[in-house]
Amino acid sequence: MRIEENYPLEKHNTFHLPVKSRWFMEYGDEEELLRILRDEYFQECLSLHIGSGSNLLFIDDYNGIILHSAIKGIKVVKETPEEVFLRIGAAEIWDDVVAYTVAEGWGGLENLSGIPGETGAAAVQNIGAYGTELKDVLESVDAYNQLTFEKKTITNEECLYGYRDSLFKDEQKDPQIITAITLRLQKHPVCTVCYKGLEEELEGKEITPSQVRQAVLTVRSRKLPDPAKLGNAGSFFKNPILPAEKYQRLKERYPEIPSYPLPDGRVKVPAGWLIEQCGFKGKKHGEVGVYDRQALVLVNLGNARGYEIAMVAESIRLAVEERFGILLMPEVKYIG
């Protein structure tokens, strides 16, 4: 177990904000996690469990305990002629997991290549890209209830997955700490390549998990900045999902508006397009920038503070609402 006081979090948030936490606690196994959860001091303190901080915006220093898992491991727990079931520790780097499964020839994760963060956080967020979400391949989640200390294996259905949403985001009502997840992957995969940029990149190539992974990484590198080089949290806002009637009214005013029809009749509209139409793409606001290749991404140009990023995000929300009547919702979680 690792315990640090007044701990710098710059390496634990991908905006690279210079914030600190009052305490930082990292556990290496489930026994250490239970010792922390049962500790009276811990129970009295404000606490936050994080992965690599790839979806967090720290407004200021965190006056509480940051809890972090160091539980790793990738293990095949079950196989059939068609499928393989893989159990993965929460602290495994997500893209390392994708690379491992692709190298084995298993299908299901290739479209989720290049997404920063750790595996436990991926299950909290229900990460998604290029027509695939984590819920499409997740079998179950192992988690501890932070209030009762009970360990439970939670099925896919019980995770209550939605668009960038899950049971695990309801931290006030029923806080759960994920220690591992189990994925169901295909031994004879049929890849999903229906997105325009992906189709173009794969034109004339054999469609395999390995080729799809390389195409996804190529497309992502063209559109999204590397957090290691330019602080960001990826897509800052969720893509809004509109009723069909509202979308049709917008389509009449803006015939060029991109869209993705959903099975339930609603329509998903790219938030990046809406932001770009409001003139924010490529603009700088002090130490905060709107990425010049993808307006959905806010970047730390070097010395931004969390509250400054939040102020730019709010100005974007207000502009989009005023012009399109659509209220953008942050995908990034504000802390502080």
Side-chain angles (χ1 to χ4, degrees), residues 156-183:
N156 184 312
E157 184 177 12
E158 291 171 331
C159 289
L160 303 178
Y161 279 126
Y163 174 50
R164 305 296 179 271
D165 197 16
S166 71
L167 162 76
F168 309 106
K169 288 196 168 185
D170 188 3
E171 298 170 350
Q172 299 301 317
K173 181 180 177 182
D174 193 26
Q176 305 280 344
I177 294 178
I178 295 173
T179 54
I181 70 172
T182 299
L183 302 179

Side-chain angles (χ1 to χ4, degrees), residues 131-257:
T132 299
E133 291 182 306
L134 184 63
K135 69 177 180 61
D136 300 331
V137 294
L138 185 132
E139 178 74 6
S140 63
V141 169
D142 291 343
Y144 280 86
N145 187 296
Q146 193 168 330
L147 301 179
T148 66
F149 318 135
E150 176 189 10
K151 181 182 180 180
K152 184 178 180 182
T153 297
I154 303 170
T155 66
N156 184 312
E157 184 177 12
E158 291 171 331
C159 289
L160 303 178
Y161 279 126
Y163 174 50
R164 305 296 179 271
D165 197 16
S166 71
L167 162 76
F168 309 106
K169 288 196 168 185
D170 188 3
E171 298 170 350
Q172 299 301 317
K173 181 180 177 182
D174 193 26
Q176 305 280 344
I177 294 178
I178 295 173
T179 54
I181 70 172
T182 299
L183 302 179
R184 180 200 297 253
L185 304 175
Q186 304 303 313
K187 290 184 175 179
H188 309 289
V190 177
C191 300
T192 301
V193 294
C194 57
Y195 270 65
K196 182 179 178 181
L198 212 50
E199 287 178 324
E200 294 173 353
E201 189 65 31
L202 288 164
E203 187 175 357
K205 299 177 182 177
E206 182 183 4
I207 306 301
T208 65
S210 179
Q211 289 283 16
V212 172
R213 171 171 167 78
Q214 290 307 312
V216 168
L217 291 173
T218 298
V219 172
R220 286 182 66 91
S221 68
R222 291 190 193 129
K223 295 171 57 179
L224 302 172
D226 181 351
K229 299 177 181 177
L230 187 61
N232 74 93
S235 299
F236 197 93
F237 298 101
K238 298 178 183 180
N239 291 318
I241 297 175
L242 309 178
E245 307 78 33
K246 183 168 185 176
Y247 168 73
Q248 287 302 326
R249 291 196 298 269
L250 279 174
K251 182 74 172 174
E252 291 171 5
R253 293 174 56 197
Y254 306 97
E256 72 282 10
I257 187 172

Side-chain angles (χ1 to χ4, degrees), residues 1-67:
M1 188 185 302
R2 175 185 174 194
I3 300 176
E4 304 271 358
E5 188 175 5
N6 295 321
Y7 185 78
L9 295 173
E10 194 164 348
K11 294 182 179 178
H12 290 271
N13 75 95
T14 55
F15 272 118
H16 306 306
L17 299 169
V19 293
K20 293 182 179 181
S21 64
R22 181 70 179 85
W23 294 97
F24 179 85
M25 298 184 180
E26 184 176 73
Y27 56 91
D29 54 37
E30 294 181 7
E31 182 180 342
E32 290 184 350
L33 170 60
L34 281 173
R35 283 170 54 195
I36 292 172
L37 296 183
R38 289 181 171 135
D39 183 82
E40 290 184 7
Y41 179 76
F42 175 83
Q43 293 173 18
E44 293 174 357
C45 288
L46 183 68
S47 65
L48 175 69
H49 195 288
I50 68 170
S52 60
S54 59
N55 202 50
L56 301 178
L57 176 62
F58 283 94
I59 304 300
D60 206 339
D61 290 343
Y62 187 73
N63 189 28
I65 299 171
I66 292 291
L67 196 58

